[in-house]
Amino acid sequence: MSSIKFFTAIVMVSLLATPIQAQKIDDWMLKKIDSSALNSIDYSKNIFENTNSIFPLLAKLYKIKHFSKENAVFVHIGDSHIQADVATSVIRNEFQSYFGNAGRGLVFPYQVGKSNAPYDIISSSKSSWKSNRLARIDTLITCGISGFGMLSQSINPEFNLELQSINGIRDSFDKVHLFMGGPVSELYLEYNDSQAENSCFSLSPDYSVFHLKSPTSAFHLTFPTNDSIRFYGASLEKNASCGIIYHSIGANGAKYSDYNKTKQFWKQLNKLRADCYIVSLGTNEAQDPNLTAEDFIKEVKIMVAKLRLSSPDACIILTTPPVSYYKKKNPNFSLEVITCALIEYCNSNNLICWDLFNVSKGLEGAKIWKKKQLLRQDLVHFSREGYVLQGNLFVDAFTKVWNEFLCKNY
């Protein structure tokens, strides 16, 4: 063999070997689902359906994994299951562990707003605030990007917000996006004991970004004013990091229709620049035994249209609701109606679907989850173990799509 032919052969072997090596390195090896939970689920159904629209997201994730200094933004929208941020914290941690941590994402001072908070968020205030969430009818206090809203009731309103350690790990941030309203003329953000950022505005902003001098895990925000201020949420991010921002937006009692009618939410949503929307709703709709599939899908269509308008290039994942009971008596049959309608809609419109209801074995599975105490006593919400299992199942389904993408393309 001539030296030229030998060199050409070596190059071809190298080129052919590179994708194989890349795929071997990049395979997402998630820890297996706990064997004790396997009889609570139908693992064969734990897949994403209609995945064509997810490939631009996967391509961006591949670039982030290898060379791109950018972020992929996930926005997970839901009800009380999402507000608790147990399942979504599992997803966030797994995604950020693999692709990189670009920030905690959207938070709200839930304790100040007198609502339950995720485990890693604590807030307090010496000021008086009134709050609202989008599942309530309250025209005086509008809700925004977090599904919540607060209205100040005293001069110079302020609050503290802090990220707590979870399993010995405390996240930090050095970039803060603030969502607010009312006659904001000045605000003062203090952090790390002695550092502060101050801004004055000629026109009242509804959104502002602060780049901090150093990383922190907490801030104290003050609005020096005699006027009433509205606050809707903050996104905590990392300036120099690339990877995943995973926003979880949940409000107790929320339905598709609640989000659809909340104008401030949609006005602010595009500021998150989502690459992927995940919508996990349906539990509260199913509390109406007279709900029809047509009425349910009508609201789903409205939300999908609004999501596409907000971020035209983002992929959309709709999840069927988890198992639960109706008034603690029997497994909720309306969930089966909702699930069948949602799957048919996704199949007809090429939308990605994750069928958590049937992964959890549907109506029969509700009895199993109850027996295993994965459901709480109200038989609608879940134990921590139940939510962790759901989070792991979602990541498992995503990794299957990711690894298949690697195998076919790299």
Side-chain angles (χ1 to χ4, degrees):
M1 181 184 292
S2 69
S3 59
I4 294 177
K5 289 182 177 180
F6 178 78
F7 176 77
T8 302
I10 291 295
V11 170
M12 290 301 295
V13 169
S14 299
L15 290 173
L16 289 171
T18 300
I20 298 173
Q21 182 66 21
Q23 195 239 318
K24 183 178 180 181
I25 293 172
D26 288 342
D27 267 356
W28 195 345
M29 304 304 293
L30 183 71
K31 57 187 177 185
K32 292 183 178 180
I33 302 297
D34 190 335
S35 59
S36 64
L38 288 177
N39 65 350
S40 306
I41 62 174
D42 185 346
Y43 184 71
S44 67
K45 295 181 178 178
N46 193 44
I47 56 174
F48 287 173
E49 298 284 359
N50 313 317
T51 56
N52 288 342
S53 62
I54 204 172
F55 292 118
L57 172 66
L58 299 179
K60 183 173 185 177
L61 290 173
Y62 185 84
K63 291 194 299 179
I64 290 171
K65 181 75 174 171
H66 286 277
F67 56 84
S68 177
K69 302 298 182 182
E70 57 186 326
N71 300 325
V73 180
F74 291 76
V75 179
H76 201 143
I77 301 169
D79 45 35
S80 56
H81 300 309
I82 304 304
Q83 182 177 334
D85 193 50
V86 181
T88 43
S89 69
V90 171
I91 301 169
R92 181 187 300 109
N93 291 337
E94 293 290 346
F95 275 45
Q96 291 184 336
S97 177
Y98 186 72
F99 291 107
N101 181 352
R104 172 58 173 82
L106 196 68
V107 298
F108 183 80
Y110 296 96
Q111 291 95 339
V112 177
K114 297 179 174 59
S115 190
N116 59 296
Y119 287 91
D120 66 332
I121 296 174
I122 186 168
S123 60
S124 62
S125 177
K126 296 178 181 178
S127 302
S128 176
W129 296 84
K130 284 188 176 180
S131 66
N132 188 26
R133 66 175 189 272
L134 51 74
R136 293 174 176 165
I137 299 174
D138 188 334
T139 57
L140 294 178
I141 304 176
T142 57
C143 297
I145 187 63
S146 63
F148 282 77
M150 297 196 316
L151 181 66
S152 65
Q153 303 293 299
S154 54
I155 64 171
N156 302 327
E158 52 75 41
F159 66 83
N160 297 289
L161 192 144
E162 183 175 356
L163 296 181
Q164 298 289 287
S165 297
I166 302 294
N167 298 323
I169 299 174
R170 191 184 194 197
D171 208 349
S172 63
F173 53 90
D174 57 5
K175 185 179 181 181
V176 181
H177 301 246
L178 298 175
F179 296 86
M180 54 203 163
V184 177
S185 58
E186 183 180 7
L187 50 82
Y188 193 62
L189 192 148
E190 300 170 272
Y191 57 100
N192 290 342
D193 295 329
S194 60
Q195 293 180 303
E197 310 293 335
N198 177 241
S199 284
C200 297
F201 307 97
S202 56
L203 296 175
S204 299
D206 58 5
Y207 173 76
S208 186
V209 182
F210 287 88
H211 298 271
L212 309 187
K213 299 178 181 69
S214 61
T216 185
S217 295
F219 67 80
H220 179 236
L221 182 63
T222 304
F223 298 89
T225 182
N226 294 326
D227 296 310
S228 293
I229 300 299
R230 301 176 187 273
F231 187 79
Y232 302 112
S235 180
L236 311 180
E237 303 176 13
K238 300 176 189 289
N239 268 311
S241 299
C242 60
I244 301 296
I245 299 175
Y246 199 100
H247 303 289
S248 57
I249 301 172
N252 296 338
K255 304 174 184 176
Y256 276 95
S257 59
D258 295 319
Y259 282 99
N260 289 341
K261 70 186 180 186
T262 304
K263 294 180 181 179
Q264 191 71 17
F265 173 80
W266 296 104
K267 183 180 178 181
Q268 296 175 336
L269 184 62
N270 65 348
K271 295 289 196 304
L272 298 183
R273 298 181 175 275
D275 295 291
C276 177
Y277 289 113
I278 305 157
V279 183
S280 298
L281 291 162
T283 293
N284 295 302
E285 286 90 339
Q287 297 306 305
D288 178 4
N290 299 315
L291 177 72
T292 65
E294 292 77 16
D295 287 341
F296 175 71
I297 293 301
K298 178 182 177 181
E299 296 294 341
V300 174
K301 288 180 179 178
I302 293 172
M303 176 172 278
V304 169
K306 287 177 176 288
L307 291 174
R308 284 177 168 159
L309 187 63
S310 178
S311 301
D313 297 326
C315 69
I316 299 173
I317 302 174
L318 301 184
T319 84
T320 61
V323 299
S324 66
Y325 276 64
Y326 179 68
K327 293 185 176 180
K328 296 187 179 182
K329 294 180 179 179
N330 298 299
N332 194 336
F333 180 80
S334 293
L335 290 171
E336 193 166 67
V337 174
I338 284 174
T339 293
C340 291
L342 197 60
I343 291 172
E344 182 180 351
Y345 172 73
C346 288
N347 291 341
S348 300
N349 293 274
N350 197 31
L351 285 166
I352 304 165
C353 181
W354 181 52
D355 186 7
L356 176 58
F357 181 73
N358 284 307
V359 170
S360 307
K361 295 190 173 182
L363 296 178
E364 184 61 32
K367 299 176 183 177
I368 298 172
W369 284 58
K370 176 186 176 184
K371 184 177 180 180
K372 286 183 163 289
Q373 297 184 328
L374 294 171
L375 277 164
R376 288 186 190 168
Q377 289 185 348
D378 65 6
L379 300 184
V380 173
H381 297 94
F382 296 83
S383 66
R384 183 168 183 80
E385 293 75 17
Y387 282 123
V388 168
L389 174 58
Q390 291 175 28
N392 282 329
L393 286 167
F394 182 90
V395 179
D396 179 88
F398 195 98
T399 61
K400 291 172 184 174
V401 178
W402 169 257
N403 289 337
E404 182 182 1
F405 169 78
L406 289 178
C407 186
K408 288 183 178 179
N409 296 279
Y410 299 100

